[in-house]
Amino acid sequence: QNAAFFDAHNPAGMEARNRALYAALDDLRSYLYSPEGQVAIFDATNTTEERRQLLIREFHGHFQYLFIESICTEPKVLEQNYRAKMQYSPDYSGMDMEQSLADFKARISKYEEVYEPIANRNIHYIKLIDMVTGRGHMDVNRISGYLPGKIVFFLMQAGMAQARRIWLTRHGQSEYNQVDRIGGDSSLATPGEVYARCLPEMLLERLPLPVPVPVSVWTSTLRRTIQTARYLPFPKLRWKALDEIQAGACDGLTYEQIAQQYPDEFMARCKDKLRYRYPAGESYLDVIQRLEPVIIEMEREKECIVVVGHQAVLRAVLGYFMAKPLASIPTLDIPLHTLMELR
């Protein structure tokens, strides 16, 4: 839709946008009332107090809610954001960049004609003012509870989209991999050592050019990831949170041995890999929880990041960035000797 569609004085546009509003609200309610429904994001401009009060009436007494308003007054940041949006918006698919920008700026001016900043202290909101510039501040009003607090913390780390990349790779084949044992802290086997020596060239040819970009390498505290990363010519950081899923009493065993020695455990794991917890060990849900600070730091980090990790851990990281369903995470394909790139 072009800018005229968003004009508050365009009756046809207003009618169509209101239909879209109520259709989205129906979808939101259906999701939140479903067994899977926990948190929903109602992504819309909601630029007037009247619109926000309409939403409050819809939510009050049914769901907890909060508004998030982001204000940016820095022209350079806005221009960069506009250009990034133009690359992915279906409204401007196939259009010239300058033509798209002109229409989008006209759309924004239509919103500005009716825009009313959040000022009502009786509602729950988080307001970000020039946070993406690194010189801004937040206004947090009537926010309490575990999830709202987590949202505030997450937004404190958020910044402008960066032209950076994230690479994920498992450690090279280890001595335990060769004999199908799980867990442990074994060193690299010969094929894993070959991969470690090839990894720098694979990575260097994928760095964004022509502008040099800083790169940080993150590993677990286990030998096989540290050895895999040792030839990479970048600063390295070791995270205990990136260690492989703890197999507890099954550490060092093969799955065949687990089936023989712990048949009930083996069957329980086959039935539900996501929630199954090794005796005195961890489940995938445990791994996902302990990865939270790593994910937050990855979101905040402005450098390119290389994560040299383990299968279960990288499944959780990849699942987060690819927005995969929780139940699919234990089966995501993370092969050995493969470099995956996220943009």
Side-chain angles (χ1 to χ4, degrees):
Q1 301 289 350
N2 62 23
F5 177 79
F6 299 91
D7 192 334
H9 306 292
N10 178 351
M14 286 293 293
E15 182 182 356
R17 287 158 61 197
N18 281 331
R19 286 199 304 269
L21 164 70
Y22 285 104
L25 281 173
D26 287 342
D27 287 343
L28 181 143
R29 278 191 292 263
S30 296
Y31 170 72
L32 288 178
Y33 281 126
S34 73
E36 295 79 19
Q38 297 186 45
V39 178
I41 299 174
F42 190 73
D43 185 13
T45 49
N46 304 320
T47 48
T48 66
E49 181 65 15
E50 179 183 8
R51 167 65 70 83
R52 294 189 286 269
Q53 288 300 323
L54 183 153
L55 296 177
I56 290 171
R57 289 193 296 272
E58 292 285 338
F59 300 150
H60 186 70
H62 302 283
F63 315 115
Q64 288 184 305
Y65 67 88
L66 63 86
F67 291 93
I68 300 175
E69 181 176 26
S70 179
I71 299 173
C72 180
T73 60
E74 175 59 53
K76 290 183 179 179
V77 174
L78 289 171
E79 184 75 13
Q80 181 183 345
N81 202 22
Y82 296 162
R83 291 183 177 275
K85 181 179 177 63
M86 295 306 97
Q87 296 179 37
Y88 305 106
S89 173
D91 287 345
Y92 300 105
S93 177
M95 287 181 62
D96 172 75
M97 175 61 78
E98 298 308 318
Q99 182 183 0
S100 300
L101 276 173
D103 183 82
F104 188 66
K105 290 178 180 179
R107 178 192 300 191
I108 291 172
S109 71
K110 299 298 183 185
Y111 281 128
E112 288 176 336
E113 291 176 5
V114 297
Y115 170 56
E116 297 171 332
I118 295 178
N120 185 349
R121 288 290 182 181
N122 292 316
I123 66 175
H124 312 277
Y125 69 78
I126 304 168
K127 186 181 293 194
L128 299 89
I129 300 95
D130 287 327
M131 285 289 288
V132 295
T133 67
R135 303 182 301 276
H137 62 280
M138 295 178 70
D139 180 3
V140 179
N141 188 69
R142 298 191 67 190
I143 299 298
S144 62
Y146 177 77
L147 279 179
K150 287 288 185 181
I151 292 171
V152 171
F153 179 71
F154 180 82
L155 291 174
M156 287 174 66
Q157 318 306 317
M160 189 65 188
Q162 302 290 321
R164 68 177 183 122
R165 299 177 188 178
I166 297 172
W167 292 277
L168 308 177
T169 182
R170 283 176 70 181
H171 54 80
Q173 187 183 54
S174 70
E175 294 168 348
Y176 264 29
N177 289 144
Q178 286 191 317
V179 292
D180 295 327
R181 295 182 183 275
I182 65 172
D185 190 17
S186 63
S187 296
L188 293 182
T190 300
E193 177 66 23
V194 171
Y195 178 69
R197 292 180 181 275
C198 293
L199 188 56
E201 182 179 353
M202 295 167 58
L203 183 66
L204 289 171
E205 66 184 18
R206 287 166 173 78
L207 290 180
L209 296 174
V211 181
V213 294
V215 178
S216 179
V217 179
W218 296 3
T219 73
S220 74
T221 64
L222 301 175
R223 277 183 286 188
R224 52 194 184 272
T225 64
I226 296 168
Q227 291 172 355
T228 302
R230 70 183 182 274
Y231 301 112
L232 291 170
F234 306 109
K236 299 173 181 68
L237 180 65
R238 298 177 188 177
W239 285 79
K240 181 67 176 174
L242 286 174
D243 283 2
E244 180 59 300
I245 187 171
Q246 295 178 21
C250 299
D251 190 74
L253 301 179
T254 66
Y255 286 116
E256 183 178 352
Q257 290 171 330
I258 295 172
Q260 293 171 353
Q261 297 179 32
Y262 304 99
D264 292 343
E265 296 294 334
F266 184 81
M267 291 304 299
R269 180 178 180 275
C270 290
K271 289 178 180 177
D272 189 354
K273 283 185 69 175
L274 178 67
R275 295 171 180 82
Y276 170 76
R277 179 179 289 120
Y278 287 100
E282 289 183 304
S283 68
Y284 267 91
L285 289 179
D286 295 328
V287 171
I288 291 168
Q289 184 174 20
R290 71 163 150 95
L291 281 172
E292 182 181 312
V294 178
I295 295 293
I296 292 291
E297 190 66 13
M298 291 177 78
E299 291 279 15
R300 188 196 67 81
E301 185 60 69
K302 295 178 173 58
E303 298 180 345
C304 293
I305 303 171
V306 186
V307 180
V308 183
H310 306 268
Q311 180 170 248
V313 168
L314 293 183
R315 280 172 168 165
V317 173
L318 182 65
Y320 170 81
F321 282 105
M322 299 300 290
K324 295 292 185 179
L326 192 61
S328 72
I329 286 177
T331 57
L332 292 179
D333 188 24
I334 310 287
L336 283 171
H337 301 166
T338 303
L339 183 65
M340 294 175 286
E341 181 175 291
L342 308 178
R343 301 190 186 189

